[in-house]
Amino acid sequence: MRIIILILISFFSLSLQSPESRQFSWVVEPESRLIIDGKSNVNTFRCEVKQYWGSDTIRSIYVPSSAQFTRLSGAIEVLAKNIDCKNQHMTNDLRKTILAETHPTLKIEFLPVIQNKKSNNQKEKASIIEVSLGGVCKKFDVEYSLNRRSNGYTTLKGSRKFLFSDFNLEPPTKLLGIVKVENEFEVIFDLILKPLD
């Protein structure tokens, strides 16, 4: 009887493990980029985070039961003062708009939630992110691609459009309101990930 019980326990333990599931962990490299695109009634602008320190960690789990979607977790965090728009006035205006002095970091956290949404592009996956900007934290869905390079590194790319009003922020204005930045802006992330395992 004892042998039968041991066999049943062993079988049950093995059934709890998914041989196809596997966890991956990466550290975000300094060459990674975070870009903010926007436009005004006059022109477009592009701002990029400079001096990304690359100490954040991203993890993923391959889950066969979820139609082969990759589940992400982890976060990237950047200093608002490192945002550079290649124009000092625009840089200062944007930093002021996102309250860089009182809320010095912009954080994007990938929540470990499996999305059922499928994309026409098989490389595209869906996830939920939590964005902290200007002291306000909100959840959004986002599509991304995760591709392994020949050197063993992996790239994580994606983008999402937001509204300044999503975070209770007012778009910058200049010259007594003549130049107005539109409410919508896009955040693009292009991360280079180094494997930890």
Side-chain angles (χ1 to χ4, degrees):
M1 186 67 180
R2 183 179 299 175
I3 295 174
I4 294 175
I5 293 174
L6 288 174
I7 292 173
L8 289 174
I9 292 174
S10 299
F11 179 78
F12 181 71
S13 297
L14 288 173
S15 66
L16 291 178
Q17 298 177 3
S18 175
E20 297 181 47
S21 297
R22 184 180 174 189
Q23 180 169 316
F24 301 86
S25 297
W26 301 277
V27 63
V28 183
E29 289 288 274
E31 295 81 11
S32 300
R33 298 172 33 183
L34 189 69
I35 298 167
I36 300 173
D37 279 346
K39 52 182 158 180
S40 69
N41 58 336
V42 176
N43 55 22
T44 61
F45 63 88
R46 167 164 284 197
C47 305
E48 188 170 342
V49 172
K50 298 174 62 179
Q51 301 174 0
Y52 179 76
W53 55 84
S55 60
D56 297 318
T57 302
I58 300 291
R59 293 170 297 280
S60 72
I61 301 175
Y62 176 74
V63 184
S65 61
S66 62
Q68 297 187 347
F69 278 108
T70 302
R71 180 169 54 184
L72 288 181
S73 62
I76 55 173
E77 193 169 0
V78 298
L79 293 176
K81 69 177 184 181
N82 288 341
I83 295 175
D84 182 11
C85 303
K86 308 300 181 184
N87 177 298
Q88 193 59 52
H89 293 295
M90 187 63 221
T91 298
N92 292 339
D93 288 345
L94 184 60
R95 290 177 184 175
K96 183 177 179 181
T97 296
I98 63 176
L99 309 177
E101 289 294 325
T102 54
H103 302 283
T105 60
L106 162 62
K107 183 178 181 181
I108 300 176
E109 181 175 2
F110 292 91
L111 302 180
V113 177
I114 300 174
Q115 289 285 81
N116 293 322
K117 178 181 177 182
K118 292 186 179 180
S119 170
N120 292 329
N121 184 348
Q122 293 300 316
K123 292 184 179 180
E124 295 294 326
K125 314 297 180 185
S127 186
I128 300 292
I129 57 174
E130 189 171 73
V131 180
S132 300
L133 178 66
V136 175
C137 186
K138 284 195 173 182
K139 293 183 177 67
F140 303 89
D141 58 55
V142 66
E143 289 190 350
Y144 66 91
S145 63
L146 197 63
N147 300 300
R148 181 167 293 186
R149 293 179 168 186
S150 58
N151 60 1
Y153 284 60
T154 298
T155 57
L156 173 59
K157 297 184 179 183
S159 63
R160 181 60 156 83
K161 290 183 178 179
F162 304 94
L163 302 176
F164 284 104
S165 56
D166 288 336
F167 305 94
N168 302 326
L169 301 174
E170 289 287 336
T173 59
K174 294 170 60 177
L175 301 177
L176 300 177
I178 297 175
V179 179
K180 296 182 179 181
V181 172
E182 293 186 5
N183 192 25
E184 185 179 80
F185 65 96
E186 183 175 21
V187 174
I188 302 167
F189 52 91
D190 184 0
L191 308 181
I192 299 175
L193 308 176
K194 179 182 178 181
L196 287 176
D197 300 332

